[in-house]
């Protein structure tokens, strides 16, 4: 996977996680990024443009012919492109089907036709649905997602499993926690910072603020992904990737308010136990499979939140 001269193909490589991944992969081999810039930024890759072993293709995964032509000659595909906004799938019910499940099918089929054998996929804790507060391990089932985003991740996982079984491919599936860090362009931290910049006196919090989720710093996320693809060699390898700890939404708001030096901010609550329909308010991960490989995150969930808030405030939270 990381032998010298390995050629990597990264879908969604202009996005938040993808661009950090690219920063790591260019140290190991040649990299092609394939991204339609729907939620990614060319600026995130600017420092690589012009390198001989780096190639950026601005195109859509739903354009199968372009994808098929681009993917040939690569050794490993990191498939990260997707709609990142769980809520957007409620308004446009075919969004995740197309940008998620169909896009994944196209990636796998383009790989098959070109004889590319290894795929690494960014899945999500949303495949577990609303599993309650018992930490869920990778063998937990039945998997019943409660959002179309989660359904598309589960559909993609199923396709990866079938392609690996049928066509001698090898897959790594990472069910990610909430990933945060520099270049974050969406999610609660990004959102709170931008709203407090606009209106430093007031912050509306979705749900009752007690939603409690695991937040993983992107550095820890990539350490984990790259370690696991090195150290696991089954035809299909599935890992939860997140911290064992979690952070409430209110705590995130408090950390941001303190870091911005604001005083007397009035928090109001939209009410209900979850942020939106399809939101999973309590997420707990069993990450013992990753721990057994030797991975431990450097930062707890709270520490990852605090660090990210500092990073975003010093480097600018917004691309808007
Ligand atoms: P992101 O929006 O920053 O990155 C996604 C990238 O995919 C963007 O650059 C976008 O332009 C690109 N893209 C989307 N649809 C495309 C298409 N049809 N063709 C080509 N490119 C397309 O999001 P992210 O946070 O970096 O997430 C990366 C992956 O990790 C996604 O699959 C996401 O579902 C998954 N994930 C993220 C988190 C998180 O907390 N950030 C958690 C769980 C899973």
């Amino acid at each position: 996977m990381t032998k010298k001269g390995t050629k990597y193909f990264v879908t969604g490589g202009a996005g938040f996680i993808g661009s950090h991944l690219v920063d790591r992969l260019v140290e190991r081999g040649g990299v092609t990024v394939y991204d339609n810039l729907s939620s990614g930024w060319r600026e995130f890759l600017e420092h690589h443009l012009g390198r001989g072993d780096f190639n950026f293709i601005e195109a859509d995964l739903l354009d199968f012919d372009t994808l098929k032509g681009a993917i040939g000659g690569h050794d490993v595909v990191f498939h990260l492109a997707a709609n990142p906004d769980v809520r957007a799938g409620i308004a446009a019910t075919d969004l995740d089907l197309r940008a998620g499940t169909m896009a994944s099918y196209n990636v796998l089929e383009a790989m098959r036709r070109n004889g590319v054998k290894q795929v690494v996929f960014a899945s999500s804790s949303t495949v577990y649905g609303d599993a309650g507060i018992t930490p869920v391990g990778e063998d937990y089932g039945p998997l019943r997602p409660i959002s179309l985003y989660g359904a598309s991740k589960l559909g993609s996982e199923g396709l990866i499993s079938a392609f690996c079984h049928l066509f001698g491919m090898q897959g790594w599936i990472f069910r990610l926690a909430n990933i945060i860090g520099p270049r974050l362009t969406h999610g609660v931290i990004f959102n709170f910072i931008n709203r407090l910049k606009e209106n430093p006196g007031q912050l509306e919090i979705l749900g009752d603020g007690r939603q409690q989720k695991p937040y993983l710093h992107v550095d820890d996320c990539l350490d984990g992904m790259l370690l696991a693809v090195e150290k696991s060699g089954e035809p299909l390898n599935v890992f939860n990737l997140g911290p064992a700890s979690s952070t409430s939404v209110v705590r995130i708001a408090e950390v941001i308010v303190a870091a911005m030096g604001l005083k007397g901010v009035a928090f109001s609550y939209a009410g209900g136990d979850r942020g939106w329909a399809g939101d999973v308010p309590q997420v707990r991960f069993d990450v013992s499979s990753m721990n057994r490989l030797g991975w431990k995150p450097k930062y707890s969930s709270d520490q990852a939140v605090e660090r990210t808030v500092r990073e975003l405030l010093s480097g600018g939270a917004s691309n808007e």
Side-chain angles (χ1 to χ4, degrees), residues 34 36 59-67 95 97-104 106:
Y34 189 102
N36 67 358
D60 200 303
L61 290 174
L62 297 177
D63 175 356
F64 181 70
D65 288 338
T66 301
L67 177 63
L95 177 65
L97 180 67
R98 290 163 56 74
T101 317
M102 254 331 277
S104 295
N106 281 356

Side-chain angles (χ1 to χ4, degrees), residues 4-287:
K4 209 156 176 55
T6 298
K7 289 198 162 71
Y8 300 99
F9 189 86
V10 184
T11 78
F16 158 52
I17 303 173
S19 63
H20 285 283
L21 173 67
V22 169
D23 289 346
R24 304 263 189 125
L25 294 181
V26 290
E27 304 299 324
R28 300 169 176 231
V31 177
T32 299
V33 166
Y34 189 102
D35 197 302
N36 67 358
L37 298 183
S38 54
S39 59
W41 294 83
R42 189 184 293 270
E43 289 80 347
F44 290 172
L45 300 171
E46 213 141 46
H47 47 300
H48 303 305
L49 298 173
R51 281 177 76 130
D53 52 359
F54 178 81
N55 190 15
F56 174 57
I57 299 171
E58 184 178 343
D60 200 303
L61 290 174
L62 297 177
D63 175 356
F64 181 70
D65 288 338
T66 301
L67 177 63
K68 187 178 61 161
I71 215 166
H74 292 86
D75 303 300
V76 185
V77 174
F78 282 85
H79 175 34
L80 273 67
N83 153 50
D85 182 354
V86 182
R87 265 178 289 177
I90 301 172
T93 55
D94 64 348
L95 177 65
D96 292 299
L97 180 67
R98 290 163 56 74
T101 317
M102 254 331 277
S104 295
Y105 166 77
N106 281 356
V107 169
L108 293 161
E109 178 61 5
M111 288 175 66
R112 185 185 74 82
R113 295 215 201 165
N114 281 285
V116 182
K117 294 288 187 193
Q118 295 187 310
V119 61
V120 183
F121 177 58
S123 187
S124 153
S125 63
T126 56
V127 298
Y128 293 115
D130 201 349
I133 59 164
T134 311
V136 284
E138 293 86 353
D139 291 336
Y140 175 89
L143 294 176
R144 289 182 179 144
I146 61 166
S147 63
L148 290 165
Y149 172 92
S152 86
K153 289 295 185 195
L154 187 54
S156 297
E157 288 195 12
L159 289 168
I160 292 168
S161 172
F163 270 78
C164 288
H165 182 78
L166 292 172
F167 306 117
M169 290 165 55
Q170 194 177 16
W172 288 264
I173 290 170
F174 292 96
R175 295 177 177 158
L176 303 179
N178 293 276
I179 310 302
I180 55 175
R183 303 184 196 150
L184 194 61
T185 54
H186 51 85
V188 62
I189 297 178
F190 177 78
N191 194 278
F192 280 3
I193 290 176
N194 285 329
R195 280 173 35 216
L196 282 166
K197 280 183 177 171
E198 276 166 27
N199 181 358
Q202 201 266 330
L203 183 67
E204 188 187 60
I205 295 175
L206 296 178
D208 59 10
R210 286 186 296 187
Q211 306 94 296
Q212 181 99 16
K213 304 181 188 187
Y215 292 85
L216 181 69
H217 195 274
V218 67
D219 287 346
D220 280 329
C221 172
L222 293 175
D223 285 348
M225 284 174 80
L226 294 171
L227 179 85
V229 292
E230 277 310 313
K231 289 207 161 182
S232 56
E234 297 298 319
L236 185 64
N237 308 275
V238 183
F239 294 102
N240 287 341
L241 190 53
S245 52
S246 56
T247 307
S248 73
V249 178
V250 170
R251 168 104 182 107
I252 290 173
E254 288 167 353
V255 167
I256 294 171
V257 165
M260 290 176 78
L262 302 174
K263 298 254 179 306
V265 180
F267 292 169
S268 62
Y269 298 91
D273 69 342
R274 62 193 69 215
W276 56 87
D279 182 32
V280 180
Q282 305 289 330
V283 179
R284 299 283 190 289
F285 255 180
D286 178 344
V287 287

